[in-house]
């Protein structure tokens, strides 16, 4: 039962002088779980995120006969790999609203022998997956949208993945490509994947390749338009450390930009696997001071915060964070290149525009982004759309504007259950 309060009011705070380490990366945790599950031997994953998105992945792997032992106090998952041969012959899997879980598992299940069904929340039933299903069919799999609308529930009738050549569109989600890449080494024949059109969220594909490489399978990225995956390489079990979540870190880097002072995020550096560390460069363009050290990456408030024009295609999970910061800048901020975030936990462009207007800002919603014009700000009660990033980003505004109330704060359990506790710790 969800025991979180129906609302939470954010108290103004700052300037800050704090260091914080967010929990492990959701994106890396779920990728490492897939590679460890397909590996030969046992893997120990440390620093893992414990949240709804990772729990549904762990539970699904368990239903597939892959043993995963969790030690939440030590943030450790121990995975006994199946060597590319999925034990279960059938399963009905619940994925909640986890995009990584449904897309990675759908590709992985094509390797099995049997019939499998994946379903989730009402919003998950609106999230597209048809491009991935089409690519899997080209590789010899049978994977269909049960309702025939290109969205979950998904039914996979598996007889092992034959291999061959597949074309996948890149304009909706890079997770389709990541799922195919991780499953491909276990196919019967080599796999060639060709990306059609612009590939969104490219840093996440580099992340996928880096995790695969750590588990023993190297695939050349080239120009991210064509990948050749041999079936001669296989994943091997190992000990793997998951770095802190850079998307979650964006909220703490944004805090001093809004409320003053400095915040250091420990455990992250410019060498991170996660593209979202580049959010600090966006803040630097707005006038904030960014510094790198062995302790982590620190952001110090700008003398004068200024609006910018920025293409955020590569770091689209931080769009809402920037939306919060933009309210306090001098001049408008224009965000482009993120049409694909309309297909996330909610339509993030429309939702962000609606909520920022509640504070008094003028927001022009565009097909691929927004233009945010700051104004005199006032208190507001914010709807979160069952989207963890709406709750976390809009809470930042309350660090400076009194009377900001967040509805359904418990939705942060999807990726960051302790977010509001950690936000309070900054003070």
């Amino acid at each position: 039962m969800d025991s979180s309060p129906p609302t939470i009011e954010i108290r103004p705070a700052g300037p800050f002088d704090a260091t914080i380490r967010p929990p492990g990366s959701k994106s890396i945790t779920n990728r490492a779980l897939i590679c460890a599950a397909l590996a030969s031997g046992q893997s120990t994953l440390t620093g893992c995120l414990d949240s709804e998105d990772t729990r549904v992945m762990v539970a699904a792997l368990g239903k597939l006969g892959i043993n995963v032992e969790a030690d939440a106090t030590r943030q450790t998952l121990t995975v006994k790999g199946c060597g590319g041969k999925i034990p279960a012959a059938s399963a009905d899997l619940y994925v909640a609203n986890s995009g990584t879980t449904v897309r990675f598992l759908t590709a992985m299940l094509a390797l099995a022998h049997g019939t499998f069904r994946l379903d989730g929340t009402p919003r998950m039933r609106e999230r597209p997956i048809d491009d991935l299903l089409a690519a899997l069919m080209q590789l010899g799999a049978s994977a269909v949208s049960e309702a025939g609308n290109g969205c979950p529930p998904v039914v996979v009738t598996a007889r092992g993945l034959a291999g061959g050549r597949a074309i996948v569109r890149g304009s909706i989600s890079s997770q389709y490509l990541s799922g195919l890449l991780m499953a491909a080494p276990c196919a019967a024949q080599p796999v060639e994947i060709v990306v059609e059109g612009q590939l969104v969220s490219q840093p996440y594909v580099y992340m996928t390749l880096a995790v695969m490489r750590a588990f023993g399978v190297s695939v050349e990225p080239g120009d991210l338009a064509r990948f050749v995956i041999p079936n001669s390489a296989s994943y091997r079990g190992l000990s793997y450390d998951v770095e802190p979540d850079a998307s979650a870190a964006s909220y703490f880097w944004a805090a001093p930009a809004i409320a003053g002072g400095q915040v250091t995020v420990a455990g992250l550096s410019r060498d991170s696997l996660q593209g979202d560390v580049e959010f600090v460069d966006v803040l630097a363009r707005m006038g904030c001071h960014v510094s790198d050290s062995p302790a982590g990456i620190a952001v110090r408030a700008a003398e004068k915060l200024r609006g910018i024009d920025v293409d955020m295609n590569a770091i689209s999970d931080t769009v809402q964070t920037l939306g919060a910061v933009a309210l306090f800048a001098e001049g408008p901020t224009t965000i482009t290149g993120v049409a694909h975030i309309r297909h996330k936990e909610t339509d993030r462009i429309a939702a962000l525009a609606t909520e920022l207007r509640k504070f008094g800002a003028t927001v022009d919603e565009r097909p691929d982004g927004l233009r945010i014009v700051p104004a005199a700000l006032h208190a507001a009660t914010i709807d979160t759309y069952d989207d963890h990033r709406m709750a976390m980003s809009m809470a930042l505004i309350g660090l400076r504007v009194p009377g900001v109330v967040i509805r359904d704060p418990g939705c942060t359990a999807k990726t960051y259950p302790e977010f509001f506790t950690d936000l309070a710790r900054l003070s």
Side-chain angles (χ1 to χ4, degrees):
M1 180 179 292
D2 184 3
S3 60
S4 60
T7 63
I8 187 170
E9 183 169 350
I10 309 301
R11 296 181 179 179
F16 302 111
D17 182 10
T19 297
I20 194 161
R21 183 184 176 103
S25 164
K26 174 204 71 174
S27 300
I28 297 177
T29 298
N30 273 357
R31 283 165 172 79
L33 278 167
I34 292 290
C35 293
L38 292 174
S40 297
Q42 180 171 293
S43 296
T44 302
L45 314 181
T46 57
C48 298
L49 174 66
D50 180 21
S51 73
E52 180 182 79
D53 272 22
T54 55
R55 288 176 184 174
V56 294
M57 177 68 88
V58 167
L61 292 175
K63 281 193 167 187
L64 297 176
I66 298 165
N67 182 264
V68 183
E69 295 180 2
D71 185 339
T73 58
R74 297 174 57 199
Q75 298 179 316
T76 298
L77 296 170
T78 304
V79 185
K80 294 181 180 177
C82 68
K85 301 183 185 302
I86 296 169
S90 65
D92 199 341
L93 306 177
Y94 178 71
V95 299
N97 195 16
S98 174
T100 54
T101 301
V102 72
R103 289 154 183 169
F104 297 171
L105 284 178
T106 295
M108 174 180 163
L109 284 169
L111 302 169
H113 289 79
T115 301
F116 306 87
R117 183 176 183 272
L118 302 96
D119 197 6
T121 64
R123 174 59 181 172
M124 175 55 74
R125 290 184 167 198
E126 298 174 345
R127 299 182 68 177
I129 197 169
D130 204 36
D131 291 332
L132 173 59
L133 305 183
L136 287 170
M137 296 288 272
Q138 295 169 59
L139 296 174
S142 173
V144 298
S145 164
E146 187 177 76
N149 62 355
C151 299
V154 170
V155 176
V156 180
T157 305
R159 50 188 180 274
L161 192 62
R165 184 175 188 267
I167 298 173
V168 62
R169 282 206 306 159
S171 60
I172 300 296
S173 174
S174 66
Q175 292 172 3
Y176 305 150
L177 175 58
S178 287
L180 292 167
L181 286 168
M182 288 187 288
C186 302
Q189 299 295 326
V191 172
E192 178 188 2
I193 304 171
V194 177
V195 180
E196 182 179 74
Q198 180 190 17
L199 177 62
V200 299
S201 304
Q202 294 183 7
Y204 285 94
V205 177
Y206 287 114
M207 176 196 296
T208 299
L209 297 176
V211 175
M212 291 172 63
R213 187 163 54 250
F215 281 85
V217 176
S218 293
V219 177
E220 290 300 317
D223 58 359
L224 298 184
R226 177 179 175 270
F227 302 84
V228 177
I229 305 96
N231 64 334
S232 56
S234 58
Y235 297 116
R236 58 176 182 270
L238 76 160
S239 295
Y240 186 86
D241 187 41
V242 176
E243 64 189 33
D245 194 297
S247 304
S250 75
Y251 309 117
F252 301 109
W253 285 321
I258 289 171
Q262 177 172 300
V263 174
T264 301
V265 174
L268 286 174
S269 72
R270 295 291 189 161
D271 297 327
S272 168
L273 298 183
Q274 302 167 79
D276 281 357
V277 295
E278 294 179 11
F279 181 71
V280 298
D281 297 327
V282 176
L283 294 176
R285 286 182 57 194
M286 299 181 82
C288 293
H289 306 273
V290 178
S291 56
D292 233 346
S293 74
I297 302 177
V299 171
R300 180 161 51 87
E303 284 79 20
K304 182 183 292 186
L305 195 67
R306 56 182 176 270
I308 58 171
D309 293 354
V310 57
D311 183 332
M312 298 190 74
N313 184 281
I315 55 171
S316 59
D317 275 349
T318 64
V319 166
Q320 292 136 298
T321 319
L322 181 59
V325 175
L327 294 187
F328 302 94
E330 290 191 5
T333 291
T334 302
I335 299 169
T336 59
V338 293
H340 60 286
I341 70 173
R342 292 188 182 276
H343 305 289
K344 295 283 190 175
E345 283 79 349
T346 188
D347 179 340
R348 286 180 170 169
I349 293 176
L352 182 57
T354 297
E355 300 311 307
L356 292 180
R357 290 179 187 128
K358 289 182 179 179
F359 293 103
T362 298
V363 183
D364 177 19
E365 180 184 338
R366 299 175 176 182
D368 75 332
L370 315 94
R371 184 174 187 267
I372 303 162
V373 182
L377 303 178
H378 52 72
T381 297
I382 297 303
D383 292 300
T384 52
Y385 307 82
D386 198 25
D387 183 349
H388 55 134
R389 300 208 185 282
M390 287 301 298
M392 293 186 281
S393 59
M394 294 300 95
L396 298 173
I397 299 167
L399 296 175
R400 191 159 155 189
V401 177
V404 174
V405 175
I406 305 296
R407 289 194 175 114
D408 186 26
C411 69
T412 61
K414 186 176 192 295
T415 56
Y416 199 160
E418 301 301 319
F419 171 74
F420 287 102
T421 300
D422 285 354
L423 186 65
R425 283 180 51 217
L426 287 186
S427 302

